[in-house]
Amino acid sequence: MEEGRRRRECRTQADGAGWVLRWGSSGPGRAGLGRACVFPGGSARPGTAEFLEPAYRGATCRGLSRDVSPDKRRRCLRCPPHRTALRWCFSSSPPPPGAPFMRGLRRSSLARIASTTRAAWARQCSSSIFGGARAAPYCTMAGRSGEEADAAMAGVATGGVEDAYGEDRATEDQPVTPWAVCIASGHSLLRDPRHNKGLSFTEKERDAHYLRGLLPPAILPQELQEKRLLQNVRQLEVPLQRYMFLMDLQERNERLFYKLMIDNVEELLPVVYTPTVGEACQKYGSIFRRSQGLYISLKDKGRVLEVLRNWPEKSIQVIVVTDGERILGLGDLGCQGMGIPVGKLALYTALGGVRPSACLPITIDVGTNNEELLNDEFYIGLRQRRATGQEYTELLDEFMVAVKQNYGQKVLVQFEDFANHNAFALLDKYKATHLVFNDDIQGTAAVVLAGLMAGLKFAGGTLADHTFLFFGAGEAGTGIAELVALELSMQSKTSQEEAHKNIWLVDSKGLIVSSRKDSIQPFKKLYAHEHEPVKDLLSAIKDIKPTALIGSAGVGQSFTKEVIEAMSSINKRPIILALSNPTSKSECTAEQAYSWSQGRAIFGSGSPFDPVKYNEKLFVPAQANNAYIFPGFGLGVVISGAIRVKDDMVLAAAEALAEQVTAEHFDKGLIYPPFSSIRKISTNIAARVAAKAYDLGLASHLPRPKDLVKYAESCMYSPIYRSYR
């Protein structure tokens, strides 16, 4: 048989239950034993079977549906109508037809299947596909009768128990096949996170899927399971332990994990993502248990497409990729930055409703310059200095080409936590040819712009009436500045060059002015205005007199009491945004901002802070979390089938978020709506992004839905348990 033919499936339907017949991907020369299996599952209609191996032609089944043509009746092996897997080893005689799981199959059919299968394997073992001395024992075995084969195999390193998969008979250096069934049942079903329901399996499901005795007799609804797990989480006092508990739950019971996340998002978001994920990345090598994504390293250069094809899911809609060079504000964490893509994609599902199976986290490992990690015995990445230049560029080019080749042009690739010098270059390079999005640049910019627009809506004035001072001129700071300039130019109907005059940047060397143009990076030159050099932030505030101060430098406690008081002396309602993550890198705390400004600051932060009581008034700090934007943005891109991301789509997301802030929210100090309604927020953002994609002619899912909000809701993933037939 040809190798390609052995991998084909026959999907049929019998008495309302789908069945699949599949050959293993490797023959006995590689795996020890060949095995033909019929498993419950599949979804094709009766009579749609196209192909079965020659060894099975002529086999018939009494449960065969009448609407199948006589020709297909002769060519298709139909499964029994009940839900039991039928398996036998080619080297053993088939089980007797009287066995309960063999009802419906004729004895003559089984005998013919057994004999032709053994003959087929014998031919394969001598072919070029499985040639070599290693296949000889199996060729010999295949030529024997079932009784002879059983006698030869019994008791050999197996303790008298049949070694169905050949694992015990194989030597330590001989490869074996990791056999897997097509449809999860029994023990394998309980180990399948996508379909496992734990104690929520009903009595009928336990009988139908061979779970009887594998679970305690109690049956618990999903709500009670959620309640129990939430109690367990709350009993853990260390945030990293909570993170590990939730990651284990995700690997064990996917739907229950997302149900818990959605119903308790405000409590669990800081655990699954920032700030706890920062600590998790730092210790990722020590807490690593099971791979949750793809690792593409320099060793895979030239084989990236092959690596992508190793991922079991083929219908991917969103990829989050990092090279680990700038993880949050923690610096170069190399391969251990995988915690960021995993966390981001968990939020894509929990907050944005993108299917978990359509999400793919990827880390590109090009080494690390972190000496501590290079000397850490538990480090999981390449132990070499970080690659740069042509070597780095070629690997990224190969990756982007392979993504498009393997998944098509409608897969959204989100760049995450790349260093500044690579982040801007990658976004500029691929935005014209791929569907790419940089959350650190565009996502952060959108959420900050939304906060500014919401704050100004109640504080008064427009963007053109304000002056913005950014402390930090990296990818986040300049990304925000550029989007603010774009929105300002659209509101005031002026050029972006004119809008840039309202925006000033301070980097590590002071205020960015025209006299520094020769020594600064290209993306900073747009904001190099005519002014005398200023070395520190406080002096810049006194000279520029900004109405909004936005921090993204990752320098903790850089917004000192003098800085906040200077902003308060200039403005009646100063806008203070301390955006750096994690909490230790925040420019100031919420309590400091409110107390030093006498409760007048419009405050937002990148990390969560507890409510603050000042002068008998309770202020609820607003968290300018990118999770407000990217899940809904990604959902909008997916449901519209957008093929490119444009700035107008990012602006649409920011405007949709700002519109959901009410006067009641603002009175409490909030410039963002509460996270408890994040699924509704994401739905509205997705609808606006999709609408803009259709308006720009970038959407490929046609015709355009009449009500995009309802359409977005209908496309969102639901974590409620499904019933299994």
Side-chain angles (χ1 to χ4, degrees):
M1 306 175 198
E2 297 177 3
E3 186 174 7
R5 290 164 65 88
R6 286 185 295 101
R7 299 188 182 192
R8 297 185 62 178
E9 298 179 4
C10 173
R11 296 187 177 273
T12 63
Q13 185 87 3
D15 291 354
W19 294 76
V20 175
L21 183 134
R22 184 195 296 272
W23 281 86
S25 60
S26 299
R30 292 182 180 178
L33 288 178
R35 175 187 283 272
C37 303
V38 180
F39 302 109
S43 58
R45 297 187 302 276
T48 60
E50 298 176 355
F51 174 85
L52 275 180
E53 298 296 344
Y56 293 88
R57 290 181 181 172
T60 59
C61 173
R62 292 169 184 165
L64 191 66
S65 301
R66 294 184 177 180
D67 59 344
V68 178
S69 66
D71 180 63
K72 286 187 177 179
R73 184 187 296 268
R74 287 190 298 271
R75 290 191 296 110
C76 297
L77 170 65
R78 283 287 177 165
C79 57
H82 44 83
R83 299 170 178 270
T84 306
L86 166 63
R87 310 171 189 164
W88 67 91
C89 199
F90 79 92
S91 58
S92 301
S93 299
F101 58 90
M102 298 295 294
R103 284 195 295 269
L105 290 177
R106 298 179 181 178
R107 182 183 298 272
S108 60
S109 297
L110 295 173
R112 181 163 52 254
I113 289 169
S115 62
T116 51
T117 301
R118 284 194 291 270
W121 281 125
R123 290 193 300 272
Q124 284 183 341
C125 289
S126 61
S127 70
S128 59
I129 298 177
F130 301 112
R134 187 175 60 183
Y138 303 107
C139 298
T140 303
M141 195 71 68
R144 301 180 183 183
S145 67
E147 291 77 13
E148 291 173 334
D150 286 342
M153 293 185 203
V156 181
T158 66
V161 179
E162 180 185 359
D163 181 17
Y165 295 98
E167 294 176 355
D168 293 330
R169 286 187 300 282
T171 60
E172 289 185 358
D173 59 346
Q174 182 179 4
V176 297
T177 297
W179 290 96
V181 299
C182 305
I183 299 300
S185 63
H187 190 268
S188 63
L189 179 56
L190 298 179
R191 295 296 182 269
D192 182 354
R194 187 182 304 179
H195 300 107
N196 179 29
K197 299 196 293 186
L199 292 179
S200 286
F201 283 107
T202 65
E203 295 285 355
K204 184 178 179 181
E205 289 171 336
R206 296 183 187 204
D207 286 334
H209 296 279
Y210 313 103
L211 299 173
R212 184 68 63 182
L214 300 182
L215 291 169
I219 298 177
L220 303 182
Q222 190 177 19
E223 291 74 18
L224 194 56
Q225 287 181 307
E226 180 185 352
K227 180 180 179 181
R228 181 185 62 190
L229 287 170
L230 189 60
Q231 288 180 352
N232 292 339
V233 171
R234 289 170 175 169
Q235 288 174 359
L236 300 173
E237 297 181 358
V238 180
L240 185 60
Q241 291 179 346
R242 291 187 174 192
Y243 173 87
M244 295 171 64
F245 179 89
L246 290 174
M247 291 301 101
D248 285 344
L249 175 61
Q250 186 182 21
E251 290 296 311
R252 187 173 70 250
N253 189 328
E254 190 174 84
R255 289 187 181 273
L256 187 56
F257 167 79
Y258 287 114
K259 182 76 162 59
L260 186 67
M261 277 292 300
I262 292 169
D263 293 345
N264 305 276
V265 62
E266 291 181 297
E267 180 178 354
L268 298 181
L269 182 65
V271 178
V272 173
Y273 201 59
T274 180
T276 308
V277 73
E279 182 183 1
C281 288
Q282 290 176 310
K283 301 176 180 178
Y284 207 78
S286 299
I287 66 174
F288 181 85
R289 299 187 181 185
R290 181 180 177 184
S291 179
Q292 294 177 288
L294 274 180
Y295 294 85
I296 299 174
S297 72
L298 290 171
K299 294 180 179 180
D300 303 313
K301 195 174 180 182
R303 302 188 303 170
V304 173
L305 180 59
E306 178 184 340
V307 174
L308 289 178
R309 287 174 174 168
N310 286 339
W311 188 251
E313 300 295 339
K314 305 307 176 187
S315 180
I316 299 299
Q317 295 173 323
V318 180
I319 291 173
V320 176
V321 59
T322 184
D323 69 351
E325 189 171 5
R326 193 200 63 83
I327 299 298
L328 301 176
L330 303 172
D332 187 351
L333 297 184
C335 191
Q336 297 190 168
M338 176 58 90
I340 297 297
V342 170
K344 287 277 186 178
L345 288 170
L347 298 187
Y348 261 108
T349 298
L351 312 185
V354 179
R355 289 181 299 108
S357 60
C359 298
L360 175 55
I362 295 178
T363 291
I364 296 180
D365 186 3
V366 295
T368 179
N369 294 331
N370 189 322
E371 291 293 340
E372 184 179 349
L373 290 179
L374 291 174
N375 296 323
D376 183 356
E377 62 178 331
F378 298 122
Y379 179 58
I380 62 175
L382 292 178
R383 294 181 183 274
Q384 66 176 59
R385 306 293 294 182
R386 182 171 287 276
T388 58
Q390 184 177 355
E391 187 178 17
Y392 179 90
T393 302
E394 288 177 352
L395 182 62
L396 265 294
D397 284 344
E398 184 184 354
F399 167 72
M400 293 302 294
V401 170
V403 164
K404 200 169 185 179
Q405 183 177 348
N406 200 45
Y407 301 119
Q409 66 174 339
K410 291 186 288 186
V411 59
L412 176 64
V413 179
Q414 177 174 313
F415 296 120
E416 192 67 33
D417 286 349
F418 284 77
N420 291 346
H421 56 277
N422 288 323
F424 287 100
L426 291 173
L427 187 61
D428 289 339
K429 183 175 184 178
Y430 295 113
K431 65 182 180 181
T433 58
H434 292 70
L435 184 66
V436 294
F437 175 75
N438 188 306
D439 188 49
D440 301 307
I441 299 174
Q442 296 162 295
T444 301
V447 75
V448 173
L449 176 59
L452 292 173
M453 293 169 67
L456 296 180
K457 181 168 62 175
F458 299 102
T462 64
L463 289 175
D465 300 326
H466 293 263
T467 302
F468 304 91
L469 179 62
F470 287 81
F471 180 65
E475 57 184 298
T478 53
I480 299 166
E482 192 61 24
L483 198 65
V484 169
L486 179 60
E487 179 67 17
L488 196 156
S489 66
M490 293 177 65
Q491 287 186 6
S492 59
K493 294 182 171 44
T494 59
S495 66
Q496 278 191 255
E497 290 74 15
E498 189 69 22
H500 286 154
K501 296 179 180 179
N502 290 51
I503 300 171
W504 296 77
L505 272 62
V506 173
D507 63 7
S508 59
K509 297 181 180 179
L511 189 67
I512 294 178
V513 294
S514 56
S515 60
R516 294 180 54 195
K517 274 190 175 182
D518 294 337
S519 61
I520 58 178
Q521 294 164 296
F523 57 84
K524 297 180 183 180
K525 293 181 179 181
L526 295 172
Y527 307 97
H529 307 310
E530 290 292 336
H531 196 280
E532 292 296 320
V534 177
K535 294 296 184 182
D536 61 276
L537 176 61
L538 183 59
S539 299
I541 292 174
K542 292 178 179 179
D543 285 358
I544 304 301
K545 294 181 171 50
T547 53
L549 177 62
I550 302 165
S552 61
V555 181
Q557 293 299 302
S558 52
F559 290 178
T560 62
K561 183 178 181 180
E562 292 75 18
V563 167
I564 302 295
E565 288 178 344
M567 287 293 297
S568 302
S569 66
I570 298 169
N571 306 283
K572 182 179 179 180
R573 299 296 305 272
I575 299 174
I576 309 292
L577 302 181
L579 303 177
S580 296
N581 283 312
T583 308
S584 60
K585 302 290 185 179
S586 183
E587 286 77 10
C588 68
T589 66
E591 183 177 4
Q592 290 169 341
Y594 289 123
S595 60
W596 292 340
S597 66
Q598 290 81 46
R600 293 188 284 119
I602 298 174
F603 178 76
S605 63
S607 294
F609 287 105
D610 293 330
V612 175
K613 193 171 185 179
Y614 181 82
N615 284 347
E616 303 303 321
K617 184 177 180 179
L618 187 67
F619 294 92
V620 182
Q623 185 184 1
N625 196 318
N626 290 18
Y628 275 114
I629 291 292
F630 70 82
F633 184 87
L635 179 62
V637 168
V638 168
I639 65 174
S640 65
I643 58 173
R644 297 290 182 271
V645 170
K646 298 295 183 183
D647 288 339
D648 286 348
M649 296 164 65
V650 181
L651 280 178
E655 292 167 357
L657 177 58
E659 289 172 3
Q660 296 177 73
V661 180
T662 66
E664 181 182 357
H665 297 149
F666 189 75
D667 289 341
K668 295 178 181 179
L670 291 171
I671 53 176
Y672 300 103
F675 243 103
S676 56
S677 58
I678 185 61
R679 297 272 283 195
K680 180 181 177 182
I681 295 169
S682 296
T683 300
N684 287 309
I685 291 175
R688 289 288 289 274
V689 171
K692 184 59 67 173
Y694 280 107
D695 293 342
L696 296 174
L698 299 171
S700 62
H701 291 170
L702 302 173
R704 175 175 177 165
K706 294 181 179 179
D707 190 331
L708 281 169
V709 174
K710 289 185 178 180
Y711 180 64
E713 289 177 349
S714 69
C715 293
M716 295 181 83
Y717 168 82
S718 171
I720 304 301
Y721 284 150
R722 303 296 192 267
S723 296
Y724 302 144
R725 60 174 183 262

